[in-house]
């Protein structure tokens, strides 16, 4: 499977500095499309929240996980919460890069940590759109890159990209790391992968993608360069460093797994998720939720199969496969599954490529419907159960 430049699309030259310069010039269209879709989502959220007598700003910056990040930014890792069922929940479940950045922004601006988190997510979303576009452009041309970004902005849970959560920051780091891997910029990729590992546990998927790309390139050239080796060694340091720190704080090398278990998170191969789906197949209208879960899971698996058939570069397949495995095979809160799949943006590449081959008006119509649906769903979701 190819790792370097090249595309199967039809609207750009295959490689060279001219193609790279073209991508950089045209990336603004993807950033603008991302901003437009997210602005629509925020507008609908504001209107919906007003009708629902709730505060859109609070929903975005001061609910659910956002509060945990703010506590870490303000007080460090000292907070635990006893749940109604007796579980003791520790803030060590949350990786440190976002609260560190919130703390830094709050220190040099009038913003509090929560609003700093919104600013960081907003800027990270733009960076993620840019990096995503460059990957799509490199593989399949301008239209596919533009549509990849727009589709990611318009997924049903896209509102999370605008919250004071770590998803937008993580995807920005992952997208640029993957783009660096595709360009064989190993040290840059390693540094970005290490930062991704300080952002979310799934950051190890970025390191694994780098290792896969390095292995393919080393086999092709029969040479392991110093920069490749350095990047591969740097890549896991962020995640490994934080996990080791938690172990030292709690006196056990596996303490981070214990922290996650206290939150009800673990890796069971999808057994608990399967039981959850079966439990939602009995009775009406609960069965609609079970059918929806089956359909959504099947769609994600089909999309991954399409990525394989499309012969995506091995680093993208490794990254997406690990993200999907951790999302679908974990035993945590099942309402978080769609949010946990948000970093798996390469799943949208087959759809983006297909849309890039139809008439512009038809593709624009599809994107508009998806964007409006995402905006409505996101507004109702945050004003309802929300993304825990």
């Amino acid at each position: 499977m190819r790792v370097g430049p090249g595309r199967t699309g039809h609207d750009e030259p295959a490689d060279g500095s001219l193609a790279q310069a073209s991508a950089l010039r045209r990336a603004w269209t993807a950033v603008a499309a991302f901003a437009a879709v997210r602005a629509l989502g925020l507008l609908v959220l504001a209107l919906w929240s007003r009708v629902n007598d709730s505060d859109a700003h609070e929903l975005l910056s001061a609910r659910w996980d956002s509060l945990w990040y703010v506590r870490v930014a303000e007080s460090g890792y000292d907070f635990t919460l006893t749940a109604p069922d007796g579980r003791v929940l520790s803030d060590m479940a949350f990786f440190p890069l976002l609260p560190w950045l919130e703390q830094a922004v709050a220190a040099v601006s009038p913003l509090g940590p929560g609003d700093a988190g919104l600013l960081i997510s907003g800027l990270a979303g733009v960076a993620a759109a840019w990096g995503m576009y460059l990957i799509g452009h490199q593989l399949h041309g301008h239209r596919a890159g533009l549509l990849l970004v727009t589709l990611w902005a318009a997924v049903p849970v896209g509102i999370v990209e605008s919250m004071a959560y770590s998803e937008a920051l993580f995807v920005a780091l992952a997208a640029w790391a993957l783009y660096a891997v595709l360009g064989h910029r190993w040290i840059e990729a390693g540094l970005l992968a290490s930062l991704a590992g300080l952002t979310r546990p799934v950051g190890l998927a970025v390191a694994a993608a780098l290792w896969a790309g390095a292995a393919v390139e080393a086999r092709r050239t029969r040479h392991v360069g110093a920069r490749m080796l350095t990047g591969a060694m740097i890549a896991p340091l962020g995640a490994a460093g934080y996990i080791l720190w938690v172990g030292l704080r709690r006196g056990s090398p596996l303490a981070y797994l214990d922290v996650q278990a206290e939150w009800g998170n673990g890796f069971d191969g999808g057994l608990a998720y399967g039981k959850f789906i079966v439990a939602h197949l009995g009775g009406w209208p609960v069965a609609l939720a079970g059918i929806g879960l089956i359909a959504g899971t099947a769609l994600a698996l089909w999309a991954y199969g399409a990525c394989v058939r499309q012969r995506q570069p091995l680093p993208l397949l490794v990254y997406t496969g690990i993200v999907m495995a951790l999302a679908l095979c974990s035993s945590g809160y099942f309402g978080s599954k769609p949010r946990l799949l948000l970093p798996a943006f390469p799943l949208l590449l087959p759809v983006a490529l297909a849309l890039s081959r139809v008439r512009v008006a038809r593709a624009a119509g599809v994107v508009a419907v998806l964007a409006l649906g995402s905006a409505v769903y996101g507004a109702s979701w945050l004003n309802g159960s929300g993304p825990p």
Side-chain angles (χ1 to χ4, degrees):
M1 295 183 184
R2 65 181 182 274
V3 181
R7 56 172 68 90
T8 60
H10 55 273
D11 60 338
E12 295 288 346
D15 54 16
S17 59
L18 290 179
Q20 187 175 23
S22 173
L24 292 172
R25 286 198 307 270
R26 303 177 79 176
W28 71 268
T29 58
V31 171
F34 171 82
V37 174
R38 296 290 1 112
L40 175 63
L42 294 175
L43 175 61
V44 173
L45 174 64
L47 295 175
W48 195 293
S49 299
R50 176 170 295 185
V51 172
N52 202 49
D53 196 28
S54 58
D55 186 341
H57 177 263
E58 180 181 345
L59 293 173
L60 292 169
S61 65
R63 294 285 298 277
W64 306 292
D65 289 5
S66 301
L67 292 175
W68 288 87
Y69 286 120
V70 167
R71 287 191 184 104
V72 173
E74 292 179 335
S75 306
Y77 284 98
D78 289 319
F79 184 78
T80 58
L81 176 69
T82 302
D85 60 4
R87 290 176 300 141
V88 179
L89 308 180
S90 169
D91 56 9
M92 290 183 184
F94 298 89
F95 275 50
L97 185 58
L98 177 59
W100 285 349
L101 293 175
E102 288 179 340
Q103 185 182 53
V105 172
V108 298
S109 74
L111 298 177
D115 287 333
L118 287 181
L119 176 63
I120 292 164
S121 286
L123 295 175
V126 169
W130 188 3
M132 231 178 278
Y133 168 79
L134 292 175
I135 292 174
H137 180 279
Q138 176 169 312
L139 297 177
H140 301 298
H142 169 69
R143 286 187 65 189
L146 175 60
L147 285 163
L148 172 63
V149 169
T150 310
L151 289 171
W152 185 70
V155 295
V157 295
I159 190 65
V160 176
E161 299 160 15
S162 301
M163 298 178 66
Y165 269 41
S166 61
E167 273 74 10
L169 178 61
F170 175 80
V171 175
L173 293 167
W176 281 95
L178 291 170
Y179 182 62
V181 170
L182 296 181
H184 304 159
R185 297 184 297 278
W186 305 113
I187 293 180
E188 176 185 331
L191 291 171
L192 290 167
S194 187
L195 289 173
L198 281 171
T199 307
R200 296 187 63 79
V202 74
L204 288 173
V206 188
L210 189 156
W211 295 335
V216 171
E217 181 64 10
R219 181 177 181 181
R220 185 184 70 83
T221 63
R222 298 185 180 182
H223 173 69
V224 178
R227 298 180 69 83
M228 178 191 292
L229 186 60
T230 301
M233 293 176 62
I234 292 172
L237 293 183
Y242 179 69
I243 291 171
L244 289 173
W245 178 82
V246 173
L248 290 173
R249 284 286 295 265
R250 297 188 60 148
S252 167
L254 300 179
Y256 181 76
L257 297 180
D258 297 334
V259 170
Q260 287 291 345
E262 291 162 1
W263 280 83
N265 298 325
F267 190 87
D268 64 357
L271 180 62
Y273 183 45
K275 291 179 178 179
F276 181 78
I277 291 175
V278 171
H280 281 74
L281 292 177
W284 196 263
V286 177
L288 289 175
I291 294 171
L293 290 170
I294 292 174
T297 303
L299 181 61
L301 294 174
W302 172 87
Y304 188 71
C307 293
V308 174
R309 292 190 298 273
Q310 192 184 60
R311 297 184 62 82
Q312 284 187 12
L314 183 61
L316 296 188
L317 293 176
V318 168
Y319 166 78
T320 306
I322 293 175
V323 172
M324 288 182 61
L326 292 177
L328 297 178
C329 297
S330 63
S331 59
Y333 178 73
F334 302 108
S336 295
K337 298 290 185 188
R339 177 169 67 86
L340 296 178
L341 283 171
L342 196 59
F345 65 88
L347 289 176
L348 299 170
L349 261 173
V351 182
L353 181 58
L355 282 176
S356 73
R357 292 170 173 165
V358 305
R359 284 182 289 184
V360 173
R362 181 174 298 180
V366 171
V367 168
V369 170
L370 293 175
L372 182 59
S374 173
V376 172
Y377 179 79
S380 63
W381 191 38
L382 288 198
N383 279 278
S385 61

